[in-house]
PDB file of all heavy atoms in Angstrom:
ATOM      1  N   ALA A 184      10.000  -9.807 -17.339  1.00 78.00           N
ATOM      2  CA  ALA A 184       9.926  -8.648 -16.438  1.00 78.00           C
ATOM      3  C   ALA A 184       8.473  -8.284 -16.141  1.00 78.00           C
ATOM      4  O   ALA A 184       8.125  -7.961 -15.001  1.00 78.00           O
ATOM      5  CB  ALA A 184      10.660  -7.461 -17.063  1.00 78.00           C
ATOM      6  N   ALA A 185       7.619  -8.350 -17.163  1.00 78.00           N
ATOM      7  CA  ALA A 185       6.202  -8.056 -16.931  1.00 78.00           C
ATOM      8  C   ALA A 185       5.559  -9.093 -16.022  1.00 78.00           C
ATOM      9  O   ALA A 185       4.729  -8.763 -15.168  1.00 78.00           O
ATOM     10  CB  ALA A 185       5.470  -7.996 -18.266  1.00 78.00           C
ATOM     11  N   GLY A 186       5.956 -10.358 -16.178  1.00 78.00           N
ATOM     12  CA  GLY A 186       5.417 -11.396 -15.312  1.00 78.00           C
ATOM     13  C   GLY A 186       5.853 -11.241 -13.871  1.00 78.00           C
ATOM     14  O   GLY A 186       5.051 -11.432 -12.939  1.00 78.00           O
ATOM     15  N   GLU A 187       7.105 -10.887 -13.658  1.00 79.00           N
ATOM     16  CA  GLU A 187       7.591 -10.651 -12.299  1.00 79.00           C
ATOM     17  C   GLU A 187       6.909  -9.440 -11.682  1.00 79.00           C
ATOM     18  O   GLU A 187       6.611  -9.420 -10.481  1.00 79.00           O
ATOM     19  CB  GLU A 187       9.110 -10.455 -12.323  1.00 79.00           C
ATOM     20  CG  GLU A 187       9.908 -11.676 -12.740  1.00 79.00           C
ATOM     21  CD  GLU A 187       9.903 -12.762 -11.677  1.00 79.00           C
ATOM     22  OE1 GLU A 187       9.577 -12.460 -10.521  1.00 79.00           O
ATOM     23  OE2 GLU A 187      10.218 -13.915 -12.020  1.00 79.00           O
ATOM     24  N   ARG A 188       6.650  -8.427 -12.496  1.00 81.00           N
ATOM     25  CA  ARG A 188       5.977  -7.236 -11.980  1.00 81.00           C
ATOM     26  C   ARG A 188       4.526  -7.545 -11.588  1.00 81.00           C
ATOM     27  O   ARG A 188       3.996  -6.970 -10.634  1.00 81.00           O
ATOM     28  CB  ARG A 188       6.013  -6.139 -13.063  1.00 81.00           C
ATOM     29  CG  ARG A 188       5.118  -4.948 -12.786  1.00 81.00           C
ATOM     30  CD  ARG A 188       5.626  -4.092 -11.643  1.00 81.00           C
ATOM     31  NE  ARG A 188       4.659  -3.057 -11.304  1.00 81.00           N
ATOM     32  CZ  ARG A 188       3.850  -3.102 -10.265  1.00 81.00           C
ATOM     33  NH1 ARG A 188       3.877  -4.121  -9.443  1.00 81.00           N
ATOM     34  NH2 ARG A 188       3.018  -2.118 -10.020  1.00 81.00           N
ATOM     35  N   ASN A 189       3.898  -8.468 -12.306  1.00 82.00           N
ATOM     36  CA  ASN A 189       2.505  -8.811 -11.993  1.00 82.00           C
ATOM     37  C   ASN A 189       2.360  -9.452 -10.626  1.00 82.00           C
ATOM     38  O   ASN A 189       1.247  -9.501 -10.085  1.00 82.00           O
ATOM     39  CB  ASN A 189       1.944  -9.751 -13.068  1.00 82.00           C
ATOM     40  CG  ASN A 189       1.712  -9.031 -14.378  1.00 82.00           C
ATOM     41  OD1 ASN A 189       1.570  -7.809 -14.419  1.00 82.00           O
ATOM     42  ND2 ASN A 189       1.688  -9.790 -15.468  1.00 82.00           N
ATOM     43  N   GLU A 190       3.456  -9.942 -10.052  1.00 81.00           N
ATOM     44  CA  GLU A 190       3.375 -10.548  -8.728  1.00 81.00           C
ATOM     45  C   GLU A 190       2.960  -9.523  -7.676  1.00 81.00           C
ATOM     46  O   GLU A 190       2.250  -9.855  -6.718  1.00 81.00           O
ATOM     47  CB  GLU A 190       4.719 -11.167  -8.351  1.00 81.00           C
ATOM     48  CG  GLU A 190       4.695 -11.932  -7.035  1.00 81.00           C
ATOM     49  CD  GLU A 190       6.028 -12.588  -6.720  1.00 81.00           C
ATOM     50  OE1 GLU A 190       6.972 -12.424  -7.518  1.00 81.00           O
ATOM     51  OE2 GLU A 190       6.111 -13.256  -5.679  1.00 81.00           O
ATOM     52  N   VAL A 191       3.375  -8.275  -7.870  1.00 82.00           N
ATOM     53  CA  VAL A 191       2.989  -7.225  -6.924  1.00 82.00           C
ATOM     54  C   VAL A 191       1.491  -6.956  -7.028  1.00 82.00           C
ATOM     55  O   VAL A 191       0.790  -6.844  -6.010  1.00 82.00           O
ATOM     56  CB  VAL A 191       3.796  -5.942  -7.186  1.00 82.00           C
ATOM     57  CG1 VAL A 191       3.397  -4.853  -6.206  1.00 82.00           C
ATOM     58  CG2 VAL A 191       5.283  -6.220  -7.076  1.00 82.00           C
ATOM     59  N   GLU A 192       0.982  -6.861  -8.262  1.00 80.00           N
ATOM     60  CA  GLU A 192      -0.457  -6.650  -8.435  1.00 80.00           C
ATOM     61  C   GLU A 192      -1.245  -7.834  -7.890  1.00 80.00           C
ATOM     62  O   GLU A 192      -2.313  -7.650  -7.292  1.00 80.00           O
ATOM     63  CB  GLU A 192      -0.771  -6.431  -9.916  1.00 80.00           C
ATOM     64  CG  GLU A 192      -0.113  -5.205 -10.526  1.00 80.00           C
ATOM     65  CD  GLU A 192      -0.614  -3.913  -9.901  1.00 80.00           C
ATOM     66  OE1 GLU A 192      -1.725  -3.915  -9.334  1.00 80.00           O
ATOM     67  OE2 GLU A 192       0.110  -2.899  -9.967  1.00 80.00           O
ATOM     68  N   ALA A 193      -0.722  -9.045  -8.091  1.00 85.00           N
ATOM     69  CA  ALA A 193      -1.393 -10.221  -7.545  1.00 85.00           C
ATOM     70  C   ALA A 193      -1.382 -10.208  -6.024  1.00 85.00           C
ATOM     71  O   ALA A 193      -2.329 -10.680  -5.382  1.00 85.00           O
ATOM     72  CB  ALA A 193      -0.719 -11.492  -8.070  1.00 85.00           C
ATOM     73  N   THR A 194      -0.323  -9.666  -5.436  1.00 86.00           N
ATOM     74  CA  THR A 194      -0.255  -9.559  -3.977  1.00 86.00           C
ATOM     75  C   THR A 194      -1.347  -8.646  -3.443  1.00 86.00           C
ATOM     76  O   THR A 194      -2.013  -8.963  -2.447  1.00 86.00           O
ATOM     77  CB  THR A 194       1.125  -9.034  -3.556  1.00 86.00           C
ATOM     78  OG1 THR A 194       2.125  -9.979  -3.930  1.00 86.00           O
ATOM     79  CG2 THR A 194       1.185  -8.804  -2.054  1.00 86.00           C
ATOM     80  N   PHE A 195      -1.554  -7.515  -4.106  1.00 84.00           N
ATOM     81  CA  PHE A 195      -2.633  -6.616  -3.686  1.00 84.00           C
ATOM     82  C   PHE A 195      -3.993  -7.279  -3.871  1.00 84.00           C
ATOM     83  O   PHE A 195      -4.887  -7.133  -3.026  1.00 84.00           O
ATOM     84  CB  PHE A 195      -2.572  -5.310  -4.477  1.00 84.00           C
ATOM     85  CG  PHE A 195      -1.444  -4.409  -4.069  1.00 84.00           C
ATOM     86  CD1 PHE A 195      -0.557  -3.906  -5.008  1.00 84.00           C
ATOM     87  CD2 PHE A 195      -1.263  -4.056  -2.751  1.00 84.00           C
ATOM     88  CE1 PHE A 195       0.483  -3.066  -4.639  1.00 84.00           C
ATOM     89  CE2 PHE A 195      -0.227  -3.216  -2.362  1.00 84.00           C
ATOM     90  CZ  PHE A 195       0.645  -2.723  -3.314  1.00 84.00           C
ATOM     91  N   GLY A 196      -4.167  -7.990  -4.965  1.00 85.00           N
ATOM     92  CA  GLY A 196      -5.429  -8.674  -5.193  1.00 85.00           C
ATOM     93  C   GLY A 196      -5.700  -9.744  -4.159  1.00 85.00           C
ATOM     94  O   GLY A 196      -6.825  -9.874  -3.647  1.00 85.00           O
ATOM     95  N   THR A 197      -4.665 -10.518  -3.813  1.00 87.00           N
ATOM     96  CA  THR A 197      -4.826 -11.553  -2.788  1.00 87.00           C
ATOM     97  C   THR A 197      -5.106 -10.944  -1.423  1.00 87.00           C
ATOM     98  O   THR A 197      -5.943 -11.443  -0.657  1.00 87.00           O
ATOM     99  CB  THR A 197      -3.563 -12.420  -2.716  1.00 87.00           C
ATOM    100  OG1 THR A 197      -3.305 -12.969  -4.010  1.00 87.00           O
ATOM    101  CG2 THR A 197      -3.731 -13.551  -1.717  1.00 87.00           C
ATOM    102  N   GLY A 198      -4.408  -9.850  -1.117  1.00 86.00           N
ATOM    103  CA  GLY A 198      -4.641  -9.187   0.171  1.00 86.00           C
ATOM    104  C   GLY A 198      -6.057  -8.658   0.297  1.00 86.00           C
ATOM    105  O   GLY A 198      -6.649  -8.706   1.383  1.00 86.00           O
ATOM    106  N   LYS A 199      -6.627  -8.163  -0.799  1.00 85.00           N
ATOM    107  CA  LYS A 199      -7.996  -7.634  -0.746  1.00 85.00           C
ATOM    108  C   LYS A 199      -9.029  -8.757  -0.759  1.00 85.00           C
ATOM    109  O   LYS A 199     -10.026  -8.711  -0.044  1.00 85.00           O
ATOM    110  CB  LYS A 199      -8.227  -6.697  -1.934  1.00 85.00           C
ATOM    111  CG  LYS A 199      -7.405  -5.416  -1.888  1.00 85.00           C
ATOM    112  CD  LYS A 199      -7.653  -4.563  -3.116  1.00 85.00           C
ATOM    113  CE  LYS A 199      -6.833  -3.281  -3.082  1.00 85.00           C
ATOM    114  NZ  LYS A 199      -7.045  -2.439  -4.282  1.00 85.00           N
ATOM    115  N   ARG A 200      -8.790  -9.773  -1.600  1.00 87.00           N
ATOM    116  CA  ARG A 200      -9.806 -10.800  -1.799  1.00 87.00           C
ATOM    117  C   ARG A 200      -9.816 -11.828  -0.674  1.00 87.00           C
ATOM    118  O   ARG A 200     -10.883 -12.258  -0.221  1.00 87.00           O
ATOM    119  CB  ARG A 200      -9.572 -11.493  -3.137  1.00 87.00           C
ATOM    120  CG  ARG A 200     -10.661 -12.481  -3.529  1.00 87.00           C
ATOM    121  CD  ARG A 200     -10.378 -13.110  -4.882  1.00 87.00           C
ATOM    122  NE  ARG A 200      -9.186 -13.937  -4.866  1.00 87.00           N
ATOM    123  CZ  ARG A 200      -8.012 -13.594  -5.353  1.00 87.00           C
ATOM    124  NH1 ARG A 200      -7.857 -12.402  -5.897  1.00 87.00           N
ATOM    125  NH2 ARG A 200      -6.963 -14.395  -5.301  1.00 87.00           N
ATOM    126  N   ILE A 201      -8.645 -12.242  -0.213  1.00 88.00           N
ATOM    127  CA  ILE A 201      -8.533 -13.322   0.774  1.00 88.00           C
ATOM    128  C   ILE A 201      -8.433 -12.771   2.194  1.00 88.00           C
ATOM    129  O   ILE A 201      -9.113 -13.247   3.114  1.00 88.00           O
ATOM    130  CB  ILE A 201      -7.331 -14.220   0.465  1.00 88.00           C
ATOM    131  CG1 ILE A 201      -7.409 -14.740  -0.978  1.00 88.00           C
ATOM    132  CG2 ILE A 201      -7.247 -15.374   1.449  1.00 88.00           C
ATOM    133  CD1 ILE A 201      -8.627 -15.585  -1.265  1.00 88.00           C
ATOM    134  N   TYR A 202      -7.595 -11.749   2.389  1.00 89.00           N
ATOM    135  CA  TYR A 202      -7.311 -11.273   3.742  1.00 89.00           C
ATOM    136  C   TYR A 202      -8.024  -9.963   4.070  1.00 89.00           C
ATOM    137  O   TYR A 202      -7.679  -9.323   5.066  1.00 89.00           O
ATOM    138  CB  TYR A 202      -5.795 -11.121   3.915  1.00 89.00           C
ATOM    139  CG  TYR A 202      -5.060 -12.422   3.669  1.00 89.00           C
ATOM    140  CD1 TYR A 202      -4.441 -12.671   2.446  1.00 89.00           C
ATOM    141  CD2 TYR A 202      -5.026 -13.416   4.642  1.00 89.00           C
ATOM    142  CE1 TYR A 202      -3.791 -13.866   2.216  1.00 89.00           C
ATOM    143  CE2 TYR A 202      -4.378 -14.614   4.409  1.00 89.00           C
ATOM    144  CZ  TYR A 202      -3.767 -14.836   3.194  1.00 89.00           C
ATOM    145  OH  TYR A 202      -3.128 -16.033   2.952  1.00 89.00           O
ATOM    146  N   ARG A 203      -8.974  -9.552   3.243  1.00 87.00           N
ATOM    147  CA  ARG A 203      -9.894  -8.434   3.523  1.00 87.00           C
ATOM    148  C   ARG A 203      -9.167  -7.118   3.757  1.00 87.00           C
ATOM    149  O   ARG A 203      -9.574  -6.323   4.619  1.00 87.00           O
ATOM    150  CB  ARG A 203     -10.793  -8.772   4.704  1.00 87.00           C
ATOM    151  CG  ARG A 203     -11.526 -10.086   4.598  1.00 87.00           C
ATOM    152  CD  ARG A 203     -12.444 -10.153   3.397  1.00 87.00           C
ATOM    153  NE  ARG A 203     -13.490  -9.153   3.457  1.00 87.00           N
ATOM    154  CZ  ARG A 203     -14.636  -9.334   4.113  1.00 87.00           C
ATOM    155  NH1 ARG A 203     -14.862 -10.489   4.730  1.00 87.00           N
ATOM    156  NH2 ARG A 203     -15.545  -8.390   4.135  1.00 87.00           N
ATOM    157  N   ALA A 204      -8.116  -6.872   3.000  1.00 86.00           N
ATOM    158  CA  ALA A 204      -7.427  -5.590   3.131  1.00 86.00           C
ATOM    159  C   ALA A 204      -8.240  -4.439   2.545  1.00 86.00           C
ATOM    160  O   ALA A 204      -7.907  -3.272   2.775  1.00 86.00           O
ATOM    161  CB  ALA A 204      -6.059  -5.650   2.443  1.00 86.00           C
ATOM    162  N   ASN A 205      -9.280  -4.763   1.781  1.00 83.00           N
ATOM    163  CA  ASN A 205     -10.153  -3.728   1.221  1.00 83.00           C
ATOM    164  C   ASN A 205     -11.363  -3.454   2.097  1.00 83.00           C
ATOM    165  O   ASN A 205     -12.279  -2.738   1.682  1.00 83.00           O
ATOM    166  CB  ASN A 205     -10.613  -4.139  -0.175  1.00 83.00           C
ATOM    167  CG  ASN A 205     -11.418  -5.431  -0.148  1.00 83.00           C
ATOM    168  OD1 ASN A 205     -11.308  -6.212   0.787  1.00 83.00           O
ATOM    169  ND2 ASN A 205     -12.225  -5.661  -1.169  1.00 83.00           N
ATOM    170  N   ASN A 206     -11.381  -4.012   3.297  1.00 84.00           N
ATOM    171  CA  ASN A 206     -12.528  -3.833   4.193  1.00 84.00           C
ATOM    172  C   ASN A 206     -12.034  -3.407   5.577  1.00 84.00           C
ATOM    173  O   ASN A 206     -12.323  -4.042   6.585  1.00 84.00           O
ATOM    174  CB  ASN A 206     -13.335  -5.130   4.271  1.00 84.00           C
ATOM    175  CG  ASN A 206     -14.670  -4.935   4.969  1.00 84.00           C
ATOM    176  OD1 ASN A 206     -15.178  -3.825   5.061  1.00 84.00           O
ATOM    177  ND2 ASN A 206     -15.237  -6.017   5.470  1.00 84.00           N
ATOM    178  N   ILE A 207     -11.255  -2.326   5.591  1.00 85.00           N
ATOM    179  CA  ILE A 207     -10.714  -1.800   6.837  1.00 85.00           C
ATOM    180  C   ILE A 207     -11.794  -0.979   7.521  1.00 85.00           C
ATOM    181  O   ILE A 207     -12.257   0.032   6.990  1.00 85.00           O
ATOM    182  CB  ILE A 207      -9.466  -0.939   6.580  1.00 85.00           C
ATOM    183  CG1 ILE A 207      -8.442  -1.721   5.754  1.00 85.00           C
ATOM    184  CG2 ILE A 207      -8.862  -0.485   7.899  1.00 85.00           C
ATOM    185  CD1 ILE A 207      -7.948  -2.969   6.410  1.00 85.00           C
ATOM    186  N   ARG A 208     -12.222  -1.396   8.700  1.00 84.00           N
ATOM    187  CA  ARG A 208     -13.331  -0.738   9.395  1.00 84.00           C
ATOM    188  C   ARG A 208     -12.872   0.050  10.620  1.00 84.00           C
ATOM    189  O   ARG A 208     -13.697   0.418  11.462  1.00 84.00           O
ATOM    190  CB  ARG A 208     -14.364  -1.780   9.810  1.00 84.00           C
ATOM    191  CG  ARG A 208     -14.978  -2.522   8.633  1.00 84.00           C
ATOM    192  CD  ARG A 208     -16.121  -3.405   9.057  1.00 84.00           C
ATOM    193  NE  ARG A 208     -16.739  -4.070   7.913  1.00 84.00           N
ATOM    194  CZ  ARG A 208     -17.824  -4.837   7.984  1.00 84.00           C
ATOM    195  NH1 ARG A 208     -18.415  -5.017   9.166  1.00 84.00           N
ATOM    196  NH2 ARG A 208     -18.316  -5.409   6.909  1.00 84.00           N
ATOM    197  N   ALA A 209     -11.598   0.286  10.747  1.00 85.00           N
ATOM    198  CA  ALA A 209     -11.097   1.070  11.878  1.00 85.00           C
ATOM    199  C   ALA A 209     -11.332   2.556  11.600  1.00 85.00           C
ATOM    200  O   ALA A 209     -11.188   3.019  10.465  1.00 85.00           O
ATOM    201  CB  ALA A 209      -9.615   0.788  12.103  1.00 85.00           C
ATOM    202  N   LYS A 210     -11.665   3.298  12.630  1.00 84.00           N
ATOM    203  CA  LYS A 210     -11.927   4.721  12.482  1.00 84.00           C
ATOM    204  C   LYS A 210     -10.663   5.559  12.634  1.00 84.00           C
ATOM    205  O   LYS A 210     -10.477   6.547  11.930  1.00 84.00           O
ATOM    206  CB  LYS A 210     -12.981   5.170  13.498  1.00 84.00           C
ATOM    207  CG  LYS A 210     -14.394   4.721  13.158  1.00 84.00           C
ATOM    208  CD  LYS A 210     -15.410   5.392  14.067  1.00 84.00           C
ATOM    209  CE  LYS A 210     -16.834   5.032  13.646  1.00 84.00           C
ATOM    210  NZ  LYS A 210     -17.847   5.707  14.495  1.00 84.00           N
TER     211      LYS A 210
END
Side-chain angles (χ1 to χ4, degrees):
E187 294 289 343
R188 168 70 187 103
N189 288 338
E190 185 177 1
V191 180
E192 298 296 337
T194 296
F195 287 128
T197 304
K199 293 178 180 179
R200 186 179 65 257
I201 306 299
Y202 302 99
R203 308 300 298 275
N205 61 338
N206 191 21
I207 307 299
R208 299 188 178 185
K210 286 190 175 182

